[in-house]
Amino acid sequence: MATATVFNAIVGQPHASRLLKTFIRNGTLPHALLFTGDAGVGKKTTATAFAMACNCLKLKSAIRHHRPHLDAVDACGDCGPCRKIAENHHPDIIRVAPLSSVIRIAQIRTLLKALTLKPNEADRRVVILSDAQAMNPEAGNALLKVLEEPPDRTLLVLTARQTSDLLPTIVSRCQHIRFSPLRAADIKQLLAAAGGIEPESIEAVAALCGGSYSRAVKLIDSRWLNRRDWIIQAMGSQMADHGELGVRAWLAWSEILAKKKDLIEESLEIITMWLRDMLVFRTDPHRVLNQDRLEALSTAAKQVSQTQVLQQIDAVDCALTALRSNTNARLTLDAMALQMAGACLR
Ligand SMILES: [Zn+2]
């Protein structure tokens, strides 16, 4: 059997699945759907499960002969259309995604041209246009034509972070389904199923990924935890040392941070997250993101006052803004480190 993406295998989006199953069972499929939610919460996986369920031969027959319970409204994963969709070579499942982070008008024109022809073999041709916020305005306006006059036997599924990233005329023509961040328990289940990951890493990453599975995978793959532990450890000893040596240590630290240019933004994110946790720890320990480092956090929180932490957060914020406008990374990080050291001295 092909590796199938079916509704019942989707983790953590019961609301979206139920709604889509209801449309399929009742034959009330909207021409256009808009899935919104953070990256890595299952929007594209759900779009594929939807495309499969719309075309599954066994499900079609079940719906025709009796009204199945919603739990049973799902693709079989094994009939011809299901296999082709799972293996990503069904001619009527069309995927459009950003190229170099933009969806250009040429891509939408190619799509419009394809949609002037009848579907090859599908009951329901499904267009999955992911990261719709990446459409430039020309592309967005061109897509409107399809939304205004949907071609026969064709369904559009758009995915985006949030509705405010899209033209209101696009949003108003779509049935909107909101995807929630995944719960830590769901992330743990997915990571455990992926296999080969240390249980401690699963625990740490599930708390840190903000409900996004793709971010969880990225955190594990990028040796993010090692970098975080180094940053936490360095900040701890620098905050403890208030003398001239402390300032030197802060500068040596910023020099190391500046060396890995492509990781600077991620490192600053780690620092901000840690400083945020130092504030939250005092009042709301269960809301701490670095749950696996509570002991270090408790020590760190005793070393500096709330005002000092806020000043340090400001320093990191300023550095991030400056770096995004292409300032010299080394100078910016040195300035940040000196401000952070200064905050400890006050
Ligand atoms: Zn099937």
Side-chain angles (χ1 to χ4, degrees), residues 52-53 55-59 74-83:
M52 212 184 263
N55 286 289
C56 173
L57 300 178
K58 284 187 191 158
L59 179 58
D74 207 345
C76 72
D78 203 29
C79 67
C82 277
R83 279 168 176 262

Side-chain angles (χ1 to χ4, degrees), residues 39-109:
V41 298
K43 301 190 297 294
K44 268 181 270 181
T45 312
T46 305
T48 303
F50 175 69
M52 212 184 263
C54 287
N55 286 289
C56 173
L57 300 178
K58 284 187 191 158
L59 179 58
K60 185 179 168 187
S61 151
I63 291 174
R64 196 186 305 135
H65 292 105
H66 63 278
R67 188 182 154 82
H69 186 271
L70 271 193
D71 289 343
V73 176
D74 207 345
C76 72
D78 203 29
C79 67
C82 277
R83 279 168 176 262
K84 283 187 183 175
I85 295 171
E87 287 159 9
N88 203 13
H89 60 72
H90 194 298
D92 296 315
I93 308 303
I94 305 173
R95 295 173 196 269
V96 182
L99 297 172
S100 316
S101 67
V102 181
I103 298 178
R104 297 178 195 286
I105 187 155
Q107 289 172 269
I108 301 296
R109 284 199 186 119

Side-chain angles (χ1 to χ4, degrees), residues 199-275:
E200 308 87 75
S201 301
I202 292 184
E203 283 292 328
V205 160
L208 286 161
C209 68
S212 160
Y213 179 64
S214 55
R215 183 164 161 76
V217 170
K218 194 175 142 206
L219 294 185
I220 281 178
D221 279 355
S222 63
R223 305 187 188 281
W224 189 94
L225 287 173
N226 291 345
R227 196 159 59 256
R228 179 203 61 169
D229 290 347
W230 169 74
I231 288 175
I232 290 175
Q233 193 268 329
M235 281 173 70
S237 53
Q238 285 151 211
M239 284 187 194
D241 191 344
H242 293 183
E244 195 186 319
L245 280 177
V247 175
R248 272 196 223 154
W250 281 99
L251 285 172
W253 177 69
S254 67
E255 188 181 346
I256 300 174
L257 287 178
K259 270 185 188 152
K260 295 211 164 177
K261 285 210 164 20
D262 51 331
L263 297 177
I264 291 176
E265 198 157 330
E266 210 164 282
S267 297
L268 298 196
E269 228 176 66
I270 293 172
I271 299 168
T272 308
M273 212 187 265
W274 184 246
L275 293 169

Side-chain angles (χ1 to χ4, degrees), residues 19 29 38 47 63 70 82 87 132 142 157 167 189 192 206 232 250 252 264 280 316 328:
L19 208 55
L29 289 163
D38 284 342
I63 291 174
L70 271 193
C82 277
E87 287 159 9
V157 182
L167 292 171
Q189 182 191 332
I232 290 175
W250 281 99
I264 291 176
V280 172
V316 184
N328 178 299

